[in-house]
């Protein structure tokens, strides 16, 4: 597999070592954007589609700039146009319909969609979002996209004989969308599959989905897989066979209790390590984040490590989210310098014995 990482090293980067810094995807929305959505969804209000389009553009520009100000290497727009990771895509896929809101956890609800006909590709999903962000940002842009297994698993299936068959059809649609994103200039795609670690017996289905997703995608496009929460020992090392270059894993939230899972077999892909907790508002210090980054060197060498938060940050207060990202980038830059100076001993997992 072609090494796609170096293309994201900033020009004039100050150290020989390079720890790629990025975010998973979602980010807290400005309060005014939530109020704008309320107006837009109110049939009695004069806030129309053009007004909503302007509001989301403004929010995307603002949050992209916020990411840039932290010094992050690869940015996203914080998913300002998206309301939920399944619902957003299901609205754009022919074959889905909606029947009302379903409680997910706590006080969080979403419109769980139903598949009522064979799924087909209708309108573009993310190309306009990417093109806007790419235009307003001076930095490379990553595109997070919900994976087909999660799209199938978190929907009611009223048509297909199995969730597996539905997932494969959805994978073909994701492939179509990525082809269009690549045509628009996208170089970094992240497939989000939070359902994987909660249903580990299906890891072979996810592998087949990913084979379909990356079919005909150019070698210079970086494709990663984000898997948050769950028991990683039930999917590792099998996931190393997936045709992706990077695995983005949530480990900070449980204080790295599952770190040993990934040292029992050589981690042959790049690791995007969660080094700040997306579930608590307390902002980790630079020193604490540096310690978390160094835990990654127990799994991979620096040239295979990406530094990111555990998961999307949308449920945090915005000032906390920014503080975490600012400290995360500073910590990564300091660790890079310490690596250059030879002050850090890197002990990553050796290949497993035959």
């Amino acid at each position: 597999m072609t090494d796609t990482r170096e293309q994201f090293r900033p020009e004039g980067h100050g150290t020989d070592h390079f720890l790629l810094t990025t975010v998973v995807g979602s980010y807290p929305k400005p309060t005014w954007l939530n109020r704008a959505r309320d107006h837009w969804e109110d049939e009695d209000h004069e806030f129309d589609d053009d007004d909503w389009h302007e509001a989301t553009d403004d929010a995307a520009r603002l949050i992209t700039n916020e990411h840039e100000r932290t010094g992050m290497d690869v940015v996203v727009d914080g998913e300002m146009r998206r309301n939920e990771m399944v619902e957003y895509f299901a609205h754009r896929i022919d074959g889905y319909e909606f029947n009302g809101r379903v409680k997910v956890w706590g006080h969080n609800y979403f419109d769980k969609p139903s598949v009522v006909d064979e799924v087909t590709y209708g309108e573009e999903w993310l190309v306009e979002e990417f093109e806007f962000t790419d235009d307003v940002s001076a930095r490379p842009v990553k595109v997070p996209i919900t994976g087909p297994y999660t799209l199938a698993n978190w929907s009611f299936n009223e048509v297909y004989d199995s969730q597996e068959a539905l997932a494969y059809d959805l994978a073909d649609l994701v492939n179509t969308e990525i082809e269009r994103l690549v045509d628009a200039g996208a170089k970094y795609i992240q497939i989000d599959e939070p359902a994987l670690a909660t249903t580990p017996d299906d890891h072979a289905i996810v592998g087949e989905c990913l084979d379909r997703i990356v079919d005909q995608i150019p070698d210079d496009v970086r494709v990663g897989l984000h898997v948050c929460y769950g028991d990683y020992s039930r999917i590792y090392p099998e996931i190393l066979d997936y045709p992706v270059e990077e695995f983005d894993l949530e480990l900070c939230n449980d204080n790295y209790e599952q770190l040993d899972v990934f040292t029992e077999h050589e981690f042959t892909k790049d690791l995007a390590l969660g080094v700040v907790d997306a579930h608590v508002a307390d902002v980790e210090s630079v020193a604490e984040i540096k310690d978390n980054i160094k835990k990654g060197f127990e799994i991979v060498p620096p040239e295979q490590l990406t530094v990111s938060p555990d998961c999307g940050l949308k449920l945090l207060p915005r000032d906390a989210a920014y503080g975490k990202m600012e400290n995360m980038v500073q910590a990564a830059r300091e660790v890079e310098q310490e690596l250059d100076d030879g002050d850090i001993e890197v002990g990553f997992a050796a290949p497993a014995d035959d």
Side-chain angles (χ1 to χ4, degrees):
M1 186 172 289
T2 304
D3 179 14
T4 61
R5 193 168 178 270
E6 275 299 304
Q7 65 185 307
F8 303 111
R9 180 192 288 261
E11 186 175 351
H13 190 66
T15 55
D16 291 334
H17 282 88
F18 173 51
L19 302 177
L20 177 63
T21 57
T22 187
V23 286
V24 172
S26 69
Y27 197 79
K29 290 180 171 63
T31 302
W32 54 262
L33 184 64
N34 294 324
R35 292 174 179 169
R37 176 180 283 277
D38 291 340
H39 291 327
W40 178 54
E41 293 177 346
D42 184 352
E43 294 181 358
D44 296 327
H45 206 284
E46 295 182 357
F47 198 90
D48 62 17
D49 288 349
D50 288 340
D51 295 326
W52 173 243
H53 190 78
E54 180 180 355
T56 53
D57 278 357
D58 286 345
R61 185 182 293 108
L62 174 69
I63 299 305
T64 301
N65 177 261
E66 201 156 292
H67 287 163
E68 288 184 318
R69 284 192 287 115
T70 68
M72 198 178 300
D73 300 311
V74 177
V75 303
V76 301
D77 74 346
E79 301 180 0
M80 292 297 106
R81 293 173 173 81
R82 311 186 199 182
N83 53 337
E84 198 277 334
M85 67 181 305
V86 171
E87 181 183 336
Y88 179 86
F89 293 97
H91 275 294
R92 288 156 178 80
I93 299 173
D94 293 341
Y96 274 97
E97 71 174 25
F98 292 84
N99 301 300
R101 294 169 68 77
V102 175
K103 188 173 184 179
V104 186
W105 53 271
H107 298 289
N108 291 277
Y109 292 78
F110 87 106
D111 264 347
K112 185 171 181 176
S114 297
V115 178
V116 298
D117 201 351
E118 288 191 7
V119 293
T120 57
Y121 190 90
E123 61 181 292
E124 290 179 335
W125 307 349
L126 301 171
V127 173
E128 183 179 341
E129 172 189 293
F130 166 75
E131 289 179 331
F132 181 89
T133 310
D134 190 49
D135 185 58
V136 301
S137 177
R139 295 177 183 267
V141 175
K142 179 168 71 173
V143 183
I145 181 169
T146 303
Y149 181 76
T150 297
L151 287 173
N153 195 265
W154 291 1
S155 303
F156 296 114
N157 175 20
E158 301 179 11
V159 173
Y160 286 81
D161 291 338
S162 66
Q163 293 290 99
E164 178 180 357
L166 171 58
Y168 292 160
D169 273 6
L170 287 166
D172 292 338
L173 305 190
V174 174
N175 172 259
T176 298
E177 178 66 12
I178 293 177
E179 287 182 342
R180 297 190 178 193
L181 285 163
V182 170
D183 287 343
K187 293 290 189 180
Y188 196 161
I189 307 293
Q190 174 186 288
I191 309 299
D192 294 330
E193 289 287 14
L196 171 59
T198 62
T199 50
D201 293 338
D202 287 350
H203 60 76
I205 296 174
V206 176
E208 172 63 25
C209 285
L210 288 166
D211 283 336
R212 292 170 180 244
I213 286 170
V214 303
D215 185 44
Q216 304 299 312
I217 301 302
D219 289 342
D220 63 344
V221 175
R222 185 174 183 83
V223 179
L225 181 72
H226 173 60
V227 185
C228 50
Y229 58 81
D231 183 353
Y232 293 132
S233 68
R234 298 170 70 184
I235 60 174
Y236 188 82
E238 289 81 2
I239 59 173
L240 292 175
D241 292 331
Y242 289 171
V244 300
E245 202 166 357
E246 177 183 81
F247 289 102
D248 189 302
L249 303 174
E250 177 179 328
L251 291 170
C252 185
N253 180 248
D254 68 356
N255 198 30
Y256 300 94
E257 288 184 2
Q258 296 194 69
L259 195 72
D260 289 348
V261 169
F262 302 103
T263 63
E264 295 177 3
H265 298 268
E266 181 185 13
F267 201 98
T268 55
K269 303 296 179 80
D270 288 356
L271 170 65
L273 179 70
V275 298
V276 296
D277 193 341
H279 303 285
V280 297
D282 294 337
V283 176
E284 295 89 345
S285 68
V286 171
E288 182 179 354
I289 299 172
K290 286 172 64 176
D291 287 341
N292 292 344
I293 291 172
K294 292 171 188 176
K295 289 181 172 66
F297 300 145
E298 298 178 32
I299 303 174
V300 294
E303 58 269 21
Q304 288 175 232
L305 188 67
T306 298
V307 176
S308 72
D310 257 353
C311 199
L313 302 173
K314 67 180 181 179
L315 298 180
L316 293 176
R318 191 164 140 214
D319 60 343
Y322 182 83
K324 286 172 180 279
M325 295 302 90
E326 186 177 46
N327 285 1
M328 183 189 81
V329 173
Q330 179 62 33
R333 302 291 90 101
E334 291 186 13
V335 169
E336 288 171 342
Q337 186 60 59
E338 291 174 16
L339 285 165
D340 275 13
D341 295 340
D343 295 335
I344 296 176
E345 181 178 344
V346 176
F348 53 93
D353 293 334
D354 292 334

